[in-house]
Amino acid sequence: MPTVPTPPSLWSVIQNLGQSTASIVLLLTILGLLFTAIAWVARACNPGRPWWRKPDIVTDVCYWFVIPVVSGYARIWLLVIGLFLLNGLPATLGLPRLFGEGIGPLAGLPVWVQAPLYLILSDLVMYTTHRLFHTMRLWRFHAIHHSSEEIEWTSAARFHPVDAVFHGALADVVPLLLGISPDVLIALVPFNVGVSALAHANLDWTFGPFRYVLVSPVFHRWHHTGPDQGGNSNFAGCFPVIDLIFGTYYMPKGVLPQDFGNGDPAFPRGFGEQLVHPFRSQERPAGLEPGSSS
């Protein structure tokens, strides 16, 4: 009598996630070497010292390796919670099957259709949460991402864990709950991480006629400027056309962004200090006022 294969346990899923974490760390190291090499030959948007001589480089490196790992584990737990709230305990017990096949209305679609759908869905979620983190009390967490005054590819992961979980991981959980296969997410990790690093790289690239297709370094650097410029614009993480549709696109021709920061000169610089700062801060720093341009 043939035996019925036993689905993997939740623990085995977590172990696989651990292996994926090791792969992410390797990917982050490779990207670091790649963007360092690019910096030697490409023209900078804002000429100055190299990334390894930034005054807060230790803070950036801590974020660079810690936050992607935190987000990775947050994905699985947000997924468990989402399945439980939508379908109850039986769905969460079937979680291992989800990681092999996907569960939801989009699960039956071929991979070549799921991949662009995932990128669009996740960017729409990130656009929405990004705008939310620029308003009211949520800014205290997102201000950490804007605290760097010298934007480099190392700034890409400078997110408070609260910000990273609900801004980043949620953008993966929503497509998963709709049935996008986890295999699609895993396959696109290098693309997503690479695009994020590219968006923060100190390069004068605008992508010319393709500036609405993929986020460019200049496009995103405007987002790190003050509210009187692009600080309350350019929220999309991958597709600038989303900003164009919602009226938050800002990239003036022939001008490059120059001044960056969150508008708070007293903002802490250290990794540990920044992690606890949002729980001590009660007011939004004078710099990026909520809703000033949207």
Side-chain angles (χ1 to χ4, degrees):
M1 182 177 178
T3 59
V4 178
T6 303
S9 65
L10 181 58
W11 174 244
S12 68
V13 171
I14 295 176
Q15 287 180 313
N16 290 337
L17 187 59
Q19 295 175 356
S20 299
T21 299
S23 300
I24 290 175
V25 172
L26 177 60
L27 171 64
L28 294 172
T29 303
I30 293 174
L31 283 174
L33 295 174
L34 174 62
F35 279 101
T36 299
I38 292 176
W40 284 106
V41 296
R43 188 167 58 185
C45 179
N46 306 106
R49 54 187 148 196
W51 67 265
W52 59 87
R53 293 181 60 189
K54 287 180 57 178
D56 49 358
I57 185 58
V58 174
T59 299
D60 272 352
V61 170
C62 288
Y63 280 112
W64 181 253
F65 286 104
V66 172
I67 295 305
V69 174
V70 171
S71 297
Y73 281 97
R75 286 182 181 94
I76 187 172
W77 293 115
L78 280 177
L79 187 56
V80 170
I81 294 171
L83 284 171
F84 178 78
L85 293 176
L86 291 174
N87 302 294
L89 185 60
T92 60
L93 294 177
L95 181 65
R97 184 168 70 86
L98 168 70
F99 275 80
E101 304 171 10
I103 299 176
L106 304 179
L109 297 176
V111 172
W112 64 270
V113 176
Q114 286 194 16
L117 278 178
Y118 159 70
L119 291 175
I120 295 170
L121 285 170
S122 63
D123 209 31
L124 282 170
V125 173
M126 291 188 73
Y127 175 88
T128 303
T129 56
H130 197 172
R131 291 193 69 169
L132 288 174
F133 270 92
H134 269 257
T135 60
M136 302 173 65
R137 292 183 179 275
L138 291 178
W139 169 254
R140 68 179 63 188
F141 297 102
H142 194 60
I144 289 174
H145 183 62
H146 284 262
S147 63
S148 181
E149 297 177 355
E150 296 182 33
I151 308 299
E152 273 285 4
W153 61 268
T154 55
S155 309
R158 187 186 280 214
F159 287 99
H160 191 277
V162 172
D163 193 348
V165 168
F166 292 101
H167 173 58
L170 190 62
D172 282 348
V173 172
V174 170
L176 283 172
L177 291 174
L178 290 175
I180 297 294
S181 171
D183 290 338
V184 172
L185 273 69
I186 293 172
L188 290 174
V189 164
F191 174 81
N192 286 331
V193 177
V195 167
S196 180
L198 174 63
H200 292 83
N202 185 14
L203 301 169
D204 67 346
W205 300 353
T206 64
F207 295 164
F210 301 101
R211 60 187 177 277
Y212 302 126
V213 179
L214 184 67
V215 59
S216 68
V218 172
F219 170 84
H220 190 70
R221 291 176 85 79
W222 277 115
H223 176 72
H224 283 266
T225 61
D228 57 328
Q229 300 180 59
N232 279 306
S233 303
N234 299 0
F235 295 101
C238 190
F239 304 118
V241 67
I242 296 177
D243 280 288
L244 192 65
I245 292 172
F246 289 103
T248 53
Y249 183 92
Y250 183 86
M251 195 163 73
K253 292 183 179 179
V255 183
L256 294 177
Q258 297 293 331
D259 300 314
F260 314 104
N262 61 14
D264 185 0
F267 201 83
R269 300 288 183 179
F271 178 66
E273 295 174 329
Q274 289 190 356
L275 292 183
V276 301
H277 182 72
F279 303 105
R280 295 174 177 171
S281 176
Q282 298 299 317
E283 297 181 358
R284 183 186 179 92
L288 296 179
E289 293 301 326
S292 61
S293 67
S294 59

